[in-house]
Short mmCIF file of all heavy atoms in Angstrom, two decimals:
data_model
loop_
_atom_site.label_atom_id
_atom_site.label_comp_id
_atom_site.label_asym_id
_atom_site.label_seq_id
_atom_site.Cartn_x
_atom_site.Cartn_y
_atom_site.Cartn_z
N GLN L 1 -71.17 9.72 7.15
CA GLN L 1 -71.34 11.02 6.51
C GLN L 1 -71.83 12.12 7.43
O GLN L 1 -71.77 13.29 7.07
CB GLN L 1 -72.31 10.89 5.34
CG GLN L 1 -71.82 9.92 4.27
CD GLN L 1 -72.69 9.93 3.03
OE1 GLN L 1 -73.01 10.99 2.50
NE2 GLN L 1 -73.08 8.76 2.57
N GLN L 2 -72.31 11.78 8.63
CA GLN L 2 -72.86 12.81 9.49
C GLN L 2 -72.86 12.38 10.95
O GLN L 2 -72.70 11.20 11.27
CB GLN L 2 -74.30 13.15 9.06
CG GLN L 2 -75.28 12.02 9.29
CD GLN L 2 -76.72 12.39 8.99
OE1 GLN L 2 -77.11 13.56 9.07
NE2 GLN L 2 -77.53 11.41 8.64
N LEU L 3 -73.04 13.36 11.82
CA LEU L 3 -73.33 13.12 13.23
C LEU L 3 -74.75 13.62 13.48
O LEU L 3 -75.06 14.77 13.18
CB LEU L 3 -72.35 13.86 14.15
CG LEU L 3 -72.66 13.81 15.64
CD1 LEU L 3 -72.64 12.38 16.18
CD2 LEU L 3 -71.69 14.68 16.44
N LYS L 4 -75.58 12.73 14.00
CA LYS L 4 -76.98 13.08 14.22
C LYS L 4 -77.33 12.90 15.68
O LYS L 4 -76.79 12.02 16.36
CB LYS L 4 -77.89 12.21 13.36
CG LYS L 4 -79.36 12.60 13.43
CD LYS L 4 -80.13 12.12 12.22
CE LYS L 4 -81.49 12.82 12.16
NZ LYS L 4 -82.16 12.61 10.89
N ALA L 5 -78.25 13.72 16.17
CA ALA L 5 -78.76 13.61 17.54
C ALA L 5 -80.28 13.61 17.51
O ALA L 5 -80.89 14.37 16.74
CB ALA L 5 -78.26 14.76 18.40
N ILE L 6 -80.88 12.76 18.31
CA ILE L 6 -82.34 12.69 18.44
C ILE L 6 -82.70 12.67 19.92
O ILE L 6 -82.08 11.94 20.70
CB ILE L 6 -82.91 11.43 17.76
CG1 ILE L 6 -82.90 11.60 16.23
CG2 ILE L 6 -84.32 11.12 18.23
CD1 ILE L 6 -83.47 10.41 15.48
N ALA L 7 -83.68 13.48 20.29
CA ALA L 7 -84.21 13.48 21.66
C ALA L 7 -85.62 12.90 21.64
O ALA L 7 -86.42 13.22 20.75
CB ALA L 7 -84.24 14.90 22.22
N VAL L 8 -85.90 12.02 22.61
CA VAL L 8 -87.26 11.49 22.76
C VAL L 8 -87.74 11.78 24.17
O VAL L 8 -86.94 11.91 25.11
CB VAL L 8 -87.31 9.97 22.48
CG1 VAL L 8 -86.84 9.66 21.08
CG2 VAL L 8 -86.51 9.18 23.51
N ASP L 9 -89.06 11.88 24.32
CA ASP L 9 -89.63 12.09 25.64
C ASP L 9 -89.85 10.74 26.33
O ASP L 9 -89.47 9.69 25.79
CB ASP L 9 -90.92 12.92 25.56
CG ASP L 9 -92.01 12.25 24.73
OD1 ASP L 9 -91.96 11.01 24.54
OD2 ASP L 9 -92.94 12.95 24.26
N ASN L 10 -90.47 10.78 27.46
CA ASN L 10 -90.65 9.55 28.25
C ASN L 10 -91.54 8.54 27.55
O ASN L 10 -91.47 7.34 27.82
CB ASN L 10 -91.20 9.88 29.64
CG ASN L 10 -90.87 8.82 30.66
OD1 ASN L 10 -89.80 8.22 30.62
ND2 ASN L 10 -91.80 8.57 31.57
N GLY L 11 -92.37 9.01 26.60
CA GLY L 11 -93.21 8.12 25.82
C GLY L 11 -92.57 7.70 24.52
O GLY L 11 -93.23 7.11 23.66
N LEU L 12 -91.27 8.03 24.35
CA LEU L 12 -90.47 7.67 23.17
C LEU L 12 -90.91 8.38 21.90
O LEU L 12 -90.67 7.90 20.79
CB LEU L 12 -90.46 6.15 22.96
CG LEU L 12 -89.96 5.32 24.15
CD1 LEU L 12 -89.96 3.84 23.81
CD2 LEU L 12 -88.56 5.75 24.56
N ASN L 13 -91.53 9.54 22.05
CA ASN L 13 -91.85 10.38 20.91
C ASN L 13 -90.68 11.31 20.63
O ASN L 13 -90.11 11.89 21.55
CB ASN L 13 -93.10 11.22 21.19
CG ASN L 13 -94.30 10.36 21.53
OD1 ASN L 13 -94.77 9.60 20.69
ND2 ASN L 13 -94.79 10.47 22.77
N VAL L 14 -90.30 11.46 19.37
CA VAL L 14 -89.19 12.34 19.00
C VAL L 14 -89.60 13.79 19.21
O VAL L 14 -90.65 14.24 18.73
CB VAL L 14 -88.78 12.11 17.53
CG1 VAL L 14 -87.70 13.10 17.12
CG2 VAL L 14 -88.28 10.68 17.33
N THR L 15 -88.78 14.52 19.96
CA THR L 15 -89.08 15.94 20.23
C THR L 15 -88.12 16.89 19.53
O THR L 15 -88.51 17.99 19.16
CB THR L 15 -89.03 16.21 21.75
OG1 THR L 15 -87.70 15.96 22.24
CG2 THR L 15 -90.02 15.33 22.49
N HIS L 16 -86.87 16.49 19.38
CA HIS L 16 -85.87 17.36 18.74
C HIS L 16 -84.89 16.51 17.93
O HIS L 16 -84.58 15.38 18.30
CB HIS L 16 -85.07 18.15 19.79
CG HIS L 16 -85.88 19.19 20.52
ND1 HIS L 16 -86.72 18.87 21.56
CD2 HIS L 16 -85.96 20.54 20.36
CE1 HIS L 16 -87.29 19.98 22.02
NE2 HIS L 16 -86.83 21.00 21.31
N GLU L 17 -84.39 17.09 16.84
CA GLU L 17 -83.36 16.46 16.02
C GLU L 17 -82.37 17.53 15.57
O GLU L 17 -82.73 18.69 15.37
CB GLU L 17 -83.95 15.80 14.77
CG GLU L 17 -84.90 14.66 15.03
CD GLU L 17 -85.39 14.02 13.73
OE1 GLU L 17 -84.54 13.76 12.85
OE2 GLU L 17 -86.61 13.80 13.60
N ALA L 18 -81.13 17.12 15.40
CA ALA L 18 -80.11 18.01 14.83
C ALA L 18 -79.05 17.14 14.17
O ALA L 18 -78.83 15.99 14.58
CB ALA L 18 -79.49 18.90 15.91
N SER L 19 -78.40 17.68 13.16
CA SER L 19 -77.37 16.90 12.48
C SER L 19 -76.28 17.82 11.93
O SER L 19 -76.50 19.01 11.73
CB SER L 19 -77.98 16.07 11.35
OG SER L 19 -78.57 16.90 10.36
N VAL L 20 -75.13 17.22 11.70
CA VAL L 20 -73.99 17.90 11.09
C VAL L 20 -73.49 17.00 9.96
O VAL L 20 -73.13 15.84 10.19
CB VAL L 20 -72.85 18.13 12.11
CG1 VAL L 20 -71.62 18.71 11.42
CG2 VAL L 20 -73.32 19.05 13.22
N HIS L 21 -73.50 17.53 8.74
CA HIS L 21 -73.02 16.79 7.58
C HIS L 21 -71.56 17.17 7.33
O HIS L 21 -71.24 18.34 7.13
CB HIS L 21 -73.89 17.09 6.36
CG HIS L 21 -75.30 16.58 6.50
ND1 HIS L 21 -75.71 15.38 5.97
CD2 HIS L 21 -76.37 17.10 7.15
CE1 HIS L 21 -76.98 15.19 6.28
NE2 HIS L 21 -77.41 16.21 6.99
N PHE L 22 -70.71 16.17 7.35
CA PHE L 22 -69.27 16.43 7.36
C PHE L 22 -68.80 17.19 6.13
O PHE L 22 -68.06 18.17 6.23
CB PHE L 22 -68.50 15.13 7.52
CG PHE L 22 -68.85 14.36 8.76
CD1 PHE L 22 -68.95 12.98 8.75
CD2 PHE L 22 -69.08 15.01 9.96
CE1 PHE L 22 -69.28 12.26 9.89
CE2 PHE L 22 -69.41 14.32 11.12
CZ PHE L 22 -69.51 12.94 11.08
N ASP L 23 -69.21 16.76 4.95
CA ASP L 23 -68.70 17.39 3.73
C ASP L 23 -69.10 18.87 3.64
O ASP L 23 -68.28 19.73 3.30
CB ASP L 23 -69.24 16.66 2.49
CG ASP L 23 -68.65 15.27 2.32
OD1 ASP L 23 -67.82 14.87 3.14
OD2 ASP L 23 -69.06 14.58 1.36
N SER L 24 -70.37 19.16 3.93
CA SER L 24 -70.87 20.52 3.75
C SER L 24 -70.68 21.41 4.97
O SER L 24 -70.39 22.62 4.83
CB SER L 24 -72.36 20.48 3.38
OG SER L 24 -73.11 19.80 4.37
N ASP L 25 -70.79 20.85 6.17
CA ASP L 25 -70.70 21.67 7.38
C ASP L 25 -69.27 21.84 7.88
O ASP L 25 -68.98 22.79 8.62
CB ASP L 25 -71.55 21.07 8.50
CG ASP L 25 -73.05 21.21 8.23
OD1 ASP L 25 -73.44 22.25 7.66
OD2 ASP L 25 -73.81 20.30 8.59
N LEU L 26 -68.40 20.92 7.50
CA LEU L 26 -67.00 20.99 7.92
C LEU L 26 -66.08 20.83 6.70
O LEU L 26 -65.28 19.89 6.61
CB LEU L 26 -66.72 19.90 8.97
CG LEU L 26 -67.47 20.08 10.30
CD1 LEU L 26 -67.43 18.80 11.12
CD2 LEU L 26 -66.89 21.24 11.10
N PRO L 27 -66.20 21.75 5.74
CA PRO L 27 -65.48 21.60 4.46
C PRO L 27 -63.96 21.68 4.60
O PRO L 27 -63.24 21.23 3.71
CB PRO L 27 -66.02 22.76 3.62
CG PRO L 27 -66.45 23.79 4.63
CD PRO L 27 -66.99 23.00 5.77
N GLU L 28 -63.47 22.22 5.72
CA GLU L 28 -62.02 22.35 5.89
C GLU L 28 -61.32 20.99 5.93
O GLU L 28 -60.11 20.91 5.69
CB GLU L 28 -61.70 23.15 7.16
CG GLU L 28 -62.12 22.52 8.48
CD GLU L 28 -63.51 22.95 8.95
OE1 GLU L 28 -64.37 23.23 8.08
OE2 GLU L 28 -63.73 23.02 10.18
N PHE L 29 -62.07 19.92 6.21
CA PHE L 29 -61.46 18.59 6.26
C PHE L 29 -61.42 17.89 4.91
O PHE L 29 -60.82 16.82 4.78
CB PHE L 29 -62.18 17.73 7.29
CG PHE L 29 -61.99 18.21 8.70
CD1 PHE L 29 -62.96 18.97 9.34
CD2 PHE L 29 -60.82 17.93 9.39
CE1 PHE L 29 -62.78 19.44 10.63
CE2 PHE L 29 -60.63 18.39 10.69
CZ PHE L 29 -61.61 19.15 11.31
N LYS L 30 -62.07 18.50 3.91
CA LYS L 30 -61.99 18.04 2.52
C LYS L 30 -62.32 16.55 2.37
O LYS L 30 -61.64 15.80 1.67
CB LYS L 30 -60.60 18.33 1.95
CG LYS L 30 -60.25 19.82 1.95
CD LYS L 30 -58.86 20.08 1.39
CE LYS L 30 -58.55 21.57 1.41
NZ LYS L 30 -57.18 21.87 0.92
N THR L 31 -63.39 16.14 3.02
CA THR L 31 -63.83 14.76 2.89
C THR L 31 -64.80 14.62 1.72
O THR L 31 -65.45 15.58 1.31
CB THR L 31 -64.52 14.27 4.18
OG1 THR L 31 -65.60 15.16 4.50
CG2 THR L 31 -63.54 14.21 5.32
N ASP L 32 -64.91 13.43 1.22
CA ASP L 32 -65.87 13.09 0.17
C ASP L 32 -66.71 11.95 0.72
O ASP L 32 -66.22 10.84 0.90
CB ASP L 32 -65.14 12.66 -1.10
CG ASP L 32 -66.09 12.33 -2.24
OD1 ASP L 32 -67.31 12.54 -2.08
OD2 ASP L 32 -65.63 11.87 -3.30
N GLY L 33 -67.98 12.25 1.01
CA GLY L 33 -68.81 11.25 1.67
C GLY L 33 -68.37 10.98 3.08
O GLY L 33 -68.61 9.90 3.63
N GLY L 34 -67.69 11.96 3.70
CA GLY L 34 -67.24 11.83 5.08
C GLY L 34 -65.92 11.12 5.23
O GLY L 34 -65.48 10.86 6.36
N VAL L 35 -65.24 10.80 4.13
CA VAL L 35 -64.01 9.99 4.22
C VAL L 35 -62.92 10.56 3.32
O VAL L 35 -63.16 11.38 2.43
CB VAL L 35 -64.28 8.52 3.82
CG1 VAL L 35 -65.42 7.95 4.65
CG2 VAL L 35 -64.59 8.38 2.34
N HIS L 36 -61.71 10.08 3.57
CA HIS L 36 -60.57 10.30 2.69
C HIS L 36 -60.23 8.99 2.00
O HIS L 36 -59.96 7.99 2.68
CB HIS L 36 -59.36 10.79 3.48
CG HIS L 36 -59.50 12.19 4.02
ND1 HIS L 36 -58.88 12.62 5.17
CD2 HIS L 36 -60.21 13.26 3.57
CE1 HIS L 36 -59.18 13.88 5.39
NE2 HIS L 36 -59.99 14.29 4.44
N LYS L 37 -60.30 8.98 0.69
CA LYS L 37 -59.92 7.80 -0.08
C LYS L 37 -58.49 7.97 -0.54
O LYS L 37 -58.15 8.96 -1.19
CB LYS L 37 -60.84 7.62 -1.29
CG LYS L 37 -60.51 6.40 -2.14
CD LYS L 37 -61.47 6.27 -3.31
CE LYS L 37 -61.13 5.05 -4.17
NZ LYS L 37 -62.08 4.89 -5.31
N HIS L 38 -57.63 7.02 -0.22
CA HIS L 38 -56.21 7.13 -0.51
C HIS L 38 -55.90 6.59 -1.91
O HIS L 38 -56.70 5.90 -2.54
CB HIS L 38 -55.40 6.41 0.56
CG HIS L 38 -55.52 7.04 1.92
ND1 HIS L 38 -54.46 7.53 2.63
CD2 HIS L 38 -56.62 7.29 2.69
CE1 HIS L 38 -54.87 8.04 3.79
NE2 HIS L 38 -56.19 7.90 3.84
N ASN L 39 -54.72 6.92 -2.39
CA ASN L 39 -54.35 6.63 -3.78
C ASN L 39 -54.32 5.14 -4.11
O ASN L 39 -54.46 4.76 -5.27
CB ASN L 39 -53.00 7.26 -4.11
CG ASN L 39 -53.05 8.78 -4.14
OD1 ASN L 39 -54.12 9.35 -4.40
ND2 ASN L 39 -51.94 9.43 -3.86
N ASP L 40 -54.12 4.30 -3.10
CA ASP L 40 -54.05 2.87 -3.39
C ASP L 40 -55.42 2.26 -3.67
O ASP L 40 -55.53 1.10 -4.09
CB ASP L 40 -53.36 2.11 -2.25
CG ASP L 40 -54.11 2.22 -0.93
OD1 ASP L 40 -55.20 2.82 -0.89
OD2 ASP L 40 -53.61 1.69 0.08
N GLY L 41 -56.48 3.05 -3.45
CA GLY L 41 -57.83 2.58 -3.75
C GLY L 41 -58.44 1.67 -2.72
O GLY L 41 -59.62 1.31 -2.82
N CYS L 42 -57.68 1.27 -1.71
CA CYS L 42 -58.23 0.36 -0.70
C CYS L 42 -58.06 0.89 0.72
O CYS L 42 -58.53 0.26 1.67
CB CYS L 42 -57.61 -1.03 -0.83
SG CYS L 42 -55.82 -1.09 -0.71
#
């Protein structure tokens, strides 16, 4: 459903995060939950 990035410092503490949610941030691809479900159901 998303692409996420996390940065940690040398002590493994999280310093930065960012994410892109496919359905809401890239609506032109018309995904549902990040996917295309085809008519055959499988």
